[in-house]
């Protein structure tokens, strides 16, 4: 009943043109049926914006999702803060993370495959220039995290909770005018849980908002600032090392910083796209292939490593990474494949990420030594 009253109150505020207060649902399963009822995002003058108490963030190297752009936000209950740890922050109960997937549009309404961002830190997303697809919510309850998929209505007024997910065939147009067909999939709640179980048996965990992903500058409405420092200043993060000493940092995808090596760029990409499964405690640990940042580049990272039981997924290649020969590497085959029995990652894409594959190809081609 309490959850229903909160939902009704939020809807009444939204109807009056005011942003409802962010909900705090520490227990139970009485989740809002509409995204607007959460109070995290709201429409203002034709733009989708975060609530004043909600903070946007971005990642150094993000997970590829059929070329969709993503607007990410974090909210924590008043007076609560996450506790810094190099591997994973300890987020307080009540934390709400949102990730809105969208595509930029041309003047005719066509969906664009472009790296050009249309997000304005002051005004949000101009709804005339974007097509909203879905918003995923991660809510930290007392008994763990829960994943909730919301699908945007055709009129782009609101998104509705869809436990079973959704799918849609889309055509994207590149900056050069080339078309690309994608079969966009909104994961169901179980698929969300499967990808976010980074440590087997420990349930859902946030994947993106970690130190190495967040350690970058962000253009906030009041100026550019390092995200981790900004979180600390806003009271959302405790225990951040002074001066960011020793805080890990992944490479900035597409625009590497000075000094970021090709290996760091490639490993950051594999971290973001693969290590949530391929880590010592992850669902793919039995494969013996570990692509997390802590694993040194050697046989466990795939160098000259023969697959345990790849079968068709090997593409008739003999080892995961063949130094100097990306075309002979299982890793490249699986990143390029669209075969559901071979492609990696298994979920979240219906097409290959040309730019990401090219980066990993260049890195493997640069490796010396071969396999004896």
């Amino acid at each position: 009943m309490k959850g229903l009253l909160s939902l009704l109150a939020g809807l009444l505020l939204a109807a009056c043109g005011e942003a409802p207060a962010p909900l705090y649902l520490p227990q139970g399963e009485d989740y809002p049926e509409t995204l607007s009822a959460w109070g995290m995002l709201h429409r203002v003058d034709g733009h989708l914006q975060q609530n004043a108490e909600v903070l946007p963030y971005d990642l150094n190297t993000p997970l590829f999702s059929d070329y969709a752009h993503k607007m990410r936000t974090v909210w924590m209950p008043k007076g609560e803060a996450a506790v810094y740890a190099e591997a994973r922050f300890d987020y307080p109960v009540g934390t709400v993370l949102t990730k809105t997937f969208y595509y930029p549009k041309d003047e005719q309404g066509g969906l664009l495959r472009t790296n050009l961002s249309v997000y304005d830190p002051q005004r949000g997303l101009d709804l005339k220039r974007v097509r909203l697809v879905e918003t995923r919510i991660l809510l930290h309850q007392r008994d763990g995290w829960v994943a909730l998929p919301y699908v945007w209505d055709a009129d782009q007024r609101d998104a509705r909770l869809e436990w079973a997910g959704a799918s849609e065939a889309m055509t994207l147009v590149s900056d050069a005018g080339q078309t690309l067909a994608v079969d966009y999939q909104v994961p169901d709640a179980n698929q969300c849980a499967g990808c976010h179980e980074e440590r087997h048996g420990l349930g859902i965990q946030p994947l993106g908002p970690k130190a190495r992903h967040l350690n970058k500058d962000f253009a906030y409405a009041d100026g550019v600032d390092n995200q981790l420092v900004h979180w600390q200043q806003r009271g959302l993060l405790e225990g951040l090392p002074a001066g960011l000493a020793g805080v890990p940092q992944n490479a900035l995808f597409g625009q590497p910083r000075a000094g970021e090596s090709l290996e760091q760029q490639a490993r950051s990409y594999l971290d973001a796209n693969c290590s949530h499964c391929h880590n010592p405690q992850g669902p793919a640990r039995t494969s013996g292939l570990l692509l997390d940042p802590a694993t040194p580049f050697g046989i466990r990272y795939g160098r000259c490593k023969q697959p345990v039981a790849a079968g068709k997924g090997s593409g008739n290649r003999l080892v995961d990474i063949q130094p100097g020969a990306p075309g002979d590497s299982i890793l490249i085959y699986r990143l390029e494949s669209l075969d559901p029995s071979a492609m990696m990652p298994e979920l979240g894409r219906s097409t290959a990420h040309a730019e990401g594959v090219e980066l990993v190809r260049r890195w493997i081609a640069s490796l010396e030594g071969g396999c004896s």
Side-chain angles (χ1 to χ4, degrees), residues 305-328:
K305 176 189 171 299
Q306 296 180 347
V308 174
K312 184 180 178 180
S314 70
N316 296 320
R317 279 75 168 173
L318 298 179
V319 296
D320 290 333
I321 296 177
Q322 174 79 38
D328 295 333

Side-chain angles (χ1 to χ4, degrees), residues 58-64 70 72 213 253 268-269 272-273 353:
D58 199 7
L59 309 180
N60 277 306
T61 295
L63 174 71
F64 173 71
K70 300 163 188 175
R72 302 171 176 87
H213 300 308
F253 184 79
S268 294
Y269 182 82
N273 286 272
H353 186 198

Side-chain angles (χ1 to χ4, degrees), residues 14-94:
C16 294
E18 301 178 23
L23 294 181
Y24 176 48
L25 297 172
Q27 59 186 351
E29 298 183 358
D30 189 11
Y31 306 118
E33 288 297 321
T34 60
L35 180 66
S36 59
W38 282 90
M40 299 292 152
L41 306 172
H42 58 279
R43 295 167 58 102
V44 179
D45 298 329
H47 289 72
L48 183 69
Q49 300 178 349
Q50 64 271 3
N51 183 295
E53 299 301 318
V54 177
L55 191 66
Y57 69 91
D58 199 7
L59 309 180
N60 277 306
T61 295
L63 174 71
F64 173 71
S65 305
D66 277 347
Y67 290 100
H69 293 231
K70 300 163 188 175
M71 181 174 75
R72 302 171 176 87
T73 72
V74 57
W75 176 84
M76 300 177 201
K78 188 174 182 179
E80 299 286 348
V83 178
Y84 175 87
E86 184 175 312
R88 180 183 294 102
F89 295 172
D90 182 10
Y91 284 93
V93 171

Side-chain angles (χ1 to χ4, degrees), residues 146-228:
V146 62
L148 304 167
Y150 287 78
V151 178
W152 281 88
D153 295 338
D155 61 8
Q156 303 281 273
R157 299 295 301 181
D158 209 342
R160 300 189 177 278
L161 181 59
E162 296 289 350
W163 290 103
S167 63
E168 182 178 353
M170 299 179 179
T171 299
L172 311 180
V173 181
S174 73
D175 296 335
Q178 298 174 322
T179 60
L180 176 69
V182 299
D183 182 18
Y184 190 96
Q185 299 289 325
V186 178
D188 61 40
N190 289 331
Q191 290 172 321
C192 289
C195 282
H196 280 267
E197 190 179 21
E198 188 176 27
R199 293 186 176 184
H200 180 69
L202 294 185
I204 294 174
Q205 295 290 330
L207 300 177
K210 299 174 182 174
R212 64 185 185 271
H213 300 308
L214 293 171
N215 189 5
K216 62 168 292 190
D217 288 344
F218 186 87
Y220 296 98
D222 55 355
V224 176
D225 197 6
N226 177 275
Q227 291 186 127
L228 296 174

